[in-house]
Amino acid sequence: MAGEITETGELYSPYVGLVYMFNLIVGTGALTMPKAFATAGWLVSLILLVFLGLMSFVTTTFVVEAMAAANAQLRWKRMETHKEEEDDDSSTASDSDVLTQDSYVKAEKQPILSVQRRVPPNLFEITDRVEMGQMASMFFNKVGVNLFYFCIIIYLYGDLAIYAAAVPFSLMQVTCASGNDSCSMEADTKHNDTDRCWGPLRRVDAYRIYLAAFTLLLGPFTFFDVQKTKYLQILTSLMRWIAFTIMIVLALVRIGKGQGEGHPPLADFSGVRNLFGVCVYSFMCQHSLPSLITPVSSKRHLTHLVFLDYVLILAFYGLLSFTAIFCFRGDSLMDMYTLNFARCDVVGLAAIRFFLGLFPVFTISTNFPIIAVTLRNNWKTLFHREGGTYPWVVDRVVFPTITLVPPVLVAFCTHDLESLVGITGAYAGTGIQYVIPAFLVYLCRKDTQLAFGYGTVNKHRSPFRHTFWVGFVLLWAFSCFIFVTANIVLSETKL
């Protein structure tokens, strides 16, 4: 659950952590990036991608610093508790009770600095896995904590809606295109939802049938506790990299043979809105950093490794997107890039066509129950009151139902994946990736100075330690929110 201090888990080397972080960031968002690139123009896309990658790196270092500060506070409290227990053991029972109460009151009213000024050298070591919800509880006030959970919940709803639409959409594209002829999806073929799929059934009917089947098969997991096993994670990661490698190689081969159809523009600002949301969504990792960073065995060069990860991810996104926009015409690029390889003139081998076409189905289906359970648990945390328990009906029926129904309804109404990813990234993604880390690092710095003194140095402090960077991130987030909202309003007005 997002609000708990969870077990650290099995330790792994920094380079294994680098791979895990790469796998976490490079997900569904990457499959929607090529179309966003083609719509916005290659030069604008490249500049925005690099800048948003840098901004994501900045806020990632903010979260790491806040994790270290949270660990320091928890470690100090344990040291104080241990010290009080030792004092209790060395005194009489009656005197001990008075001392304990008195020291408790003093500890509540006075900064930690007044109790002991000497700070241990390992105080800021990241050993406890403090999730973002717990950090919010430590550094935010009650309103801030509620806003944090609201932002996380909206983001997870968007995630589930994207997943709920992507799987039926991929199945519809593959099965409707192969209903009569497995090579029926050609370069100039454009399908509408009202086109026939099988007999009297329209494509949109097939999509909704698949959505219903997807909901009935995976929806029940929301009512139970599930977690992604190590071997399932390895399998989905392996499938992902096989699929990405095949797509990049096939695109490069077509371009090398002079069969590239793409002539992307330098810039088209009408596509920047969706590109922004897609890029923010594609760099999302801040909410999962505690589970990734804490088990790393040696954190000595943590910032350098995270920076290397971002450089590799930028290079990968650039390679995937540029090969796509020069291989395929902009108007023929699908919302889900894998579906462009369902064409026989692109892939001759039917097995590869079906593997790439159905790749999102396998990987997304394994993630959907995990995210649904995470969202359900965040709902429980938001309404939880200390010492209280939920009735069985609320715990086992109401919370899972409000988790599952809204994203399925959204997916029933639309399968426009680019817009779903864009809106999720532009709004909830901006909150999680920019606003929350900026406030976390600002408030944790104030708390650290109050508790340990102004000369105390957090060994995991961000390279962007000046307050200017906090203000810049918040200003950027606010500007993005205004820009995206204004763009949506103007677009709807034109329609």
Side-chain angles (χ1 to χ4, degrees), residues 63 106 157 165 217 228 403 405 467 469 473:
V63 174
K106 287 181 179 178
Y157 268 132
L217 286 173
K228 196 169 185 178
T403 296
V405 172
T467 310
W469 287 103
V473 168

Side-chain angles (χ1 to χ4, degrees), residues 161-176:
I162 292 163
Y163 286 8
V167 170
F169 181 71
S170 297
L171 288 169
M172 175 194 72
Q173 289 291 122
V174 171
T175 56
C176 288

Side-chain angles (χ1 to χ4, degrees), residues 33 63 65 76 105 149 220 248 254-255 368 384-385 405 413 428 471:
M33 193 173 284
V63 174
E65 181 176 340
W76 188 270
V105 172
Y149 278 107
I248 291 172
R254 279 178 63 81
I255 295 170
F368 186 89
H384 181 68
R385 296 295 175 265
V405 172
C413 296

